Amino acid sequence: MDISLLDKVILFPLIFLAGFVDSIAGGGGLISLPAYLFIGLPSHNALATNKLSSSIGTTISTLRFAKGKAIIFEIGIFSVIFSFTGSFLGAKIALFLSDNVLKIVLAILIPIAAVIIMFRKPIKKENKKYNLSHIKTIILSSLIGLIIGMYDGFFGPGTGTFLIVLYVSILSLDHVKASGTAKIVNLASNISALLTFIIGGKVVFSIGLPAALFGIAGNWIGSGLALKNGEKIIKPIMIIVLSLLFIKILSNIIF
């Protein structure tokens, strides 16, 4: 599947922006997925190709967080195992739906996820310590991985943000360690969904691989700024880009 030069000019900068946003605040998929839909990819191909570029980009930011020792593996390992399984199930459900039905579902989910992420309350660093037992930590980590993994496999945008919120509010991690742990879990669910989509023949490598290079650049730069409260800059940009992309997607459904 080939795309025009104009489509590339539109797509690649948006994938860079998505990687940059995702590494700082999460929710980069709310830019990258609509971008693939914008250039005319069918819904299944857009979901699958988005998983390819986001998986590669997330790998970069995960490595940077790991190097900074910001990943809590006691929590992450159980979330990873169950997110891998949940993501496989979610991707299978997406493949089961027809393109028209999936397009309508995406048009509904994109603004809902955007509203949740844009208007969520800031995560406070002075969160309450719950002192959970080891068993409770394992159970909660597993449930978070399974539920968010299914969401990521089926849809995806906002997965990192939702993981961070749950790790901070339920497991009492600080923001940096929650972000780092979320990255390794998000990477696992991305890979699981990607493998499922590859087997289903839905990944457009000729588009996804070049786009991934821009996602890598965005994730690399963004993860380096993750400790500098980048959300104040990110949110206005996301609102503008999302509004334009959603109008385009909605027009395609109506007309």
Side-chain angles (χ1 to χ4, degrees), residues 63-119:
L63 290 174
R64 294 206 74 179
F65 276 105
K67 185 178 180 180
K69 298 181 179 180
I71 298 176
I72 306 299
F73 288 98
E74 179 186 7
I75 292 173
I77 188 64
F78 293 100
S79 290
V80 162
I81 293 171
F82 281 87
S83 72
F84 195 90
T85 303
S87 184
F88 168 78
L89 296 173
K92 278 291 188 182
I93 295 173
L95 288 172
F96 177 76
L97 300 177
S98 68
D99 184 68
N100 288 335
V101 172
L102 185 58
K103 186 180 293 184
I104 294 173
V105 172
L106 294 181
I108 295 173
L109 288 179
I110 287 173
I112 291 176
V115 168
I116 292 174
I117 291 174
M118 295 299 176
F119 298 102

Side-chain angles (χ1 to χ4, degrees), residues 22 28 51 136 140 158-159 189 199:
D22 198 61
K51 284 300 175 192
K136 287 184 178 179
L140 290 172
T159 296
S189 62
I199 294 172

Side-chain angles (χ1 to χ4, degrees), residues 130-196:
Y130 292 101
N131 297 319
L132 297 173
S133 67
H134 183 65
I135 296 299
K136 287 184 178 179
T137 298
I138 291 175
I139 293 174
L140 290 172
S141 301
S142 301
L143 286 175
I144 290 172
L146 179 65
I147 295 171
I148 302 300
M150 287 188 67
Y151 169 82
D152 190 32
F154 180 79
F155 181 44
T159 296
T161 303
F162 297 146
L163 284 169
I164 292 170
V165 170
L166 291 174
Y167 284 147
V168 171
S169 60
I170 295 179
L171 298 180
S172 298
L173 297 186
D174 64 67
H175 190 276
V176 176
K177 289 183 172 59
S179 297
T181 306
K183 286 301 175 188
I184 194 172
V185 177
N186 197 2
L187 178 60
S189 62
N190 276 344
I191 292 175
S192 178
L194 176 60
L195 291 174
T196 306

Side-chain angles (χ1 to χ4, degrees), residues 211-252:
L213 296 177
F214 288 83
I216 289 173
N219 272 276
W220 179 262
I221 295 173
S223 58
L225 300 174
L227 302 179
K228 297 182 179 180
N229 197 22
E231 289 191 58
K232 290 182 179 179
I233 302 174
I234 297 303
K235 285 189 176 182
I237 295 175
M238 286 188 68
I239 291 174
I240 294 172
V241 173
L242 279 171
S243 298
L244 294 174
L245 293 176
F246 182 69
I247 290 172
K248 170 63 177 177
I249 296 169
L250 196 60
S251 68
N252 288 342

